Amino acid sequence: MVCYFCADIPVNRNIIIKISKMNILLKSTTVIDSTSPFNNKTVDILIEDGIITDIDSTLQSIPNITEINLADLHVSRGWFDSSVSFGEPGYEERETILHGLDVAAKSGFTSIALNPNTLPITDTSASIGFLTVKSQQHAVNLYPIGALTVKSEGKDLAELYDMQQAGAVAFGDYKKAIANPNLLKIALLYAQNFNGLVQSFPQDNSIAGKGMVHEEEQSTLLGLKGIPSLAEELQVTRDLFLLEYTGGKLHIPTISTAKSVALIKEAKTKGLAVTCSVTTHHLKLTDNELVKFDANYKVQPPLRTQKDITALHKGIQEGTIDMVTSDHQPIDIEHKKVEFDSASYGTIGLESSFGVLNSIFDIETCINLLTNGKEIFGIEDITIDKGSTANLTLFSPKKELIFDQKDILSTSKNSAFLGKSLKGQSYGIIANKKMILK
């Protein structure tokens, strides 16, 4: 729906508005932005041609304006997710690019980093160009992550520099560990020539073996093959040693153990340029969920213990963990609704991210976690102020809900948070001179 007239926008309607053809007035909205002079103030915000032109306690309506009046309306800088998978090209039955970007927008994200786990693998400048062209008219900014190695096979480096020139913001083989330490060493050395960011998935496959879940009491009770924490921690240790030797920038995505937090904290005290992320499901769910043998809980890294969750929370509070990601990974029903042993790894998470984080942390911390990481990936972070480009997320932090099927916007429905209590809802976004509300 495209609207050109003055109107109050109701909740629960799919609305896409092109701001370039109108003015937008956000009424009675509370700003949550630690970088803004209007932080924690309830104001009206006027947006004209994609620019915030006025912010005040009360702004009068003007002709040809679209007023946005939503219950408990809050606004923040646009949210960013550093690890998102769709499907296109190759797995369109899981999720297409354009529909996935709509899901991201309605979930509150104005920017996402897209993983290279497509078919073919995103490992050339041409494949990066396909993604950027496909997404360029959307409200959500899509930033491709190029594969670190050709076909993500871990044998030969992909054309990293060419991919960066085409728009790649980082390089990593999604959920595939680099077994050859010399290959990672060369990647870290080479990427320094163009300030590239290298990612390394934290799992030593020789230790993980054929494990599927966390190796501890639950795996034994359930008779499922386990992956010990050691598999992650050995890989993190190795990668940090390599980084100390080579220099450069290393990002370790989706850590999950207490020891990994400690290792990265120590590396940062040495001045190493290492960053890391954690998923929303690793901040909320333990391996106790596995008693249901529900494949939605089959994820990489595996769900760990409450001790690990406590350490991850502390790592966030201390600043050791740089960002949180949904690690959104749509999987079609044919590969998820099967026996646990045969099911594919992964859970969707865009729709539930805010509700999970807002149920764990205070709202300021929650929003900081949803906006952190942009600088690491070379993405501009725009404050809420007069004269700034409108790159905003609209949300309400109060609503409590039980997350169920009707809350899933993605084509694939493999959510680990079905039936879980969440807090807060996203209304949508304003970005790239467009507004998308759900």
Side-chain angles (χ1 to χ4, degrees):
M1 173 182 176
V2 180
C3 174
Y4 300 100
F5 304 101
C6 181
D8 289 347
I9 304 298
V11 185
N12 295 327
R13 293 189 63 185
N14 293 323
I15 298 173
I16 301 176
I17 298 177
K18 297 179 180 178
I19 298 175
S20 58
K21 296 182 179 179
M22 68 179 71
N23 302 324
I24 297 291
L25 182 59
L26 302 178
K27 296 293 292 183
S28 299
T29 179
T30 301
V31 176
I32 306 295
D33 178 4
S34 58
T35 69
S36 170
F38 299 95
N39 188 35
N40 287 321
K41 295 180 180 179
T42 299
V43 294
D44 291 354
I45 301 176
L46 178 62
I47 301 167
E48 299 177 282
D49 195 26
I51 303 295
I52 299 173
T53 56
D54 202 1
I55 304 177
D56 210 333
S57 56
T58 303
L59 295 175
Q60 297 300 315
S61 299
I62 58 176
N64 300 318
I65 194 170
T66 297
E67 288 191 9
I68 309 299
N69 290 281
L70 296 169
D72 188 39
L73 179 58
H74 287 59
V75 65
S76 73
R77 288 170 289 153
W79 300 346
F80 168 64
D81 195 324
S82 62
S83 179
V84 172
S85 301
F86 289 147
E88 186 180 2
Y91 302 108
E92 286 83 358
E93 72 278 5
R94 299 179 180 179
E95 192 69 272
T96 64
I97 291 171
L98 294 181
H99 186 266
L101 291 175
D102 284 345
V103 173
K106 293 171 186 178
S107 301
F109 294 91
T110 62
S111 303
I112 62 158
L114 189 68
N115 293 310
N117 54 328
T118 51
L119 185 67
I121 294 290
T122 307
D123 62 355
T124 65
S125 57
S127 56
I128 295 292
F130 168 79
L131 296 174
T132 55
V133 169
K134 185 83 175 182
S135 62
Q136 64 185 358
Q137 298 301 319
H138 204 277
V140 177
N141 294 306
L142 184 156
Y143 297 97
I145 297 172
L148 186 66
T149 65
V150 176
K151 298 181 181 179
S152 288
E153 291 178 344
K155 297 177 181 178
D156 302 297
L157 281 186
E159 47 183 59
L160 307 188
Y161 177 73
D162 288 347
M163 285 193 286
Q164 191 206 48
Q165 294 299 295
V169 295
F171 310 98
D173 295 341
Y174 182 67
K175 302 297 184 185
K176 293 185 177 181
I178 301 299
N180 183 348
N182 191 56
L183 187 62
L184 183 60
K185 182 197 78 174
I186 293 170
L188 287 166
L189 288 169
Y190 175 61
Q192 291 177 58
N193 293 302
F194 48 91
N195 198 34
L197 178 64
V198 173
Q199 297 193 42
S200 178
F201 180 62
Q203 180 169 289
D204 185 322
N205 289 331
S206 61
I207 298 293
K210 296 182 179 179
M212 294 175 291
V213 301
H214 177 60
E215 182 183 270
E216 211 174 69
E217 182 180 354
Q218 281 296 340
S219 62
T220 302
L221 290 173
L222 299 174
L224 295 171
K225 295 178 181 178
I227 301 175
S229 298
L230 181 66
E232 176 173 310
E233 294 151 7
L234 276 178
Q235 193 82 350
V236 170
T237 301
R238 185 206 71 172
D239 291 353
L240 292 174
F241 269 115
L242 288 170
L243 179 65
E244 188 171 11
Y245 177 79
T246 61
K249 297 190 301 183
L250 176 67
H251 180 66
I252 303 176
T254 63
I255 65 169
S256 65
T257 76
K259 182 66 173 178
S260 291
V261 177
L263 289 167
I264 293 169
K265 181 179 181 179
E266 180 183 5
K268 287 188 172 187
T269 62
K270 294 179 179 179
L272 299 185
V274 59
T275 56
C276 65
S277 66
V278 64
T279 76
T280 49
H281 45 274
H282 283 102
L283 291 173
K284 186 81 170 178
L285 306 175
T286 71
D287 61 344
N288 289 330
E289 302 289 348
L290 298 172
V291 296
K292 306 168 188 176
F293 286 94
D294 185 342
N296 284 334
Y297 300 114
K298 187 178 181 181
V299 293
Q300 288 179 297
L303 297 178
R304 304 290 187 182
T305 67
Q306 186 59 50
K307 175 184 175 182
D308 294 302
I309 287 181
T310 300
L312 293 170
H313 288 188
K314 185 177 180 181
I316 285 174
Q317 293 159 353
E318 293 179 343
T320 300
I321 297 173
D322 301 274
M323 65 195 81
V324 172
T325 174
S326 69
D327 201 25
H328 182 81
Q329 190 177 4
I331 302 294
D332 55 277
I333 193 169
E334 288 82 3
H335 293 88
K336 205 60 171 172
K337 285 288 185 179
V338 293
E339 291 182 355
F340 195 92
D341 286 13
S342 302
S344 296
Y345 291 96
T347 175
I348 58 172
L350 286 171
E351 300 98 313
S352 55
S353 281
F354 174 55
V356 172
L357 293 175
N358 192 43
S359 69
I360 299 172
F361 303 103
D362 64 80
I363 190 62
E364 294 274 2
T365 301
C366 174
I367 297 305
N368 283 336
L369 291 173
L370 288 165
T371 54
N372 284 350
K374 295 179 186 177
E375 182 180 357
I376 294 167
F377 284 79
I379 299 168
E380 183 181 12
D381 193 12
I382 305 171
T383 191
I384 299 176
D385 202 356
K386 298 175 185 178
S388 296
T389 300
N391 188 280
L392 308 172
T393 297
L394 283 58
F395 63 96
S396 167
K398 291 183 179 179
K399 182 178 179 180
E400 298 188 4
L401 70 152
I402 302 298
F403 191 76
D404 63 22
Q405 287 283 348
K406 71 175 176 17
D407 300 304
I408 295 178
L409 307 172
S410 301
T411 301
S412 296
K413 309 302 179 184
N414 55 304
S415 173
F417 287 102
L418 284 169
K420 303 298 182 185
S421 297
L422 306 182
K423 182 182 178 184
Q425 64 174 335
S426 162
Y427 285 131
I429 65 168
I430 298 175
N432 291 328
K433 296 186 179 182
K434 297 179 180 68
M435 178 171 67
I436 298 180
L437 300 180
K438 68 178 180 181

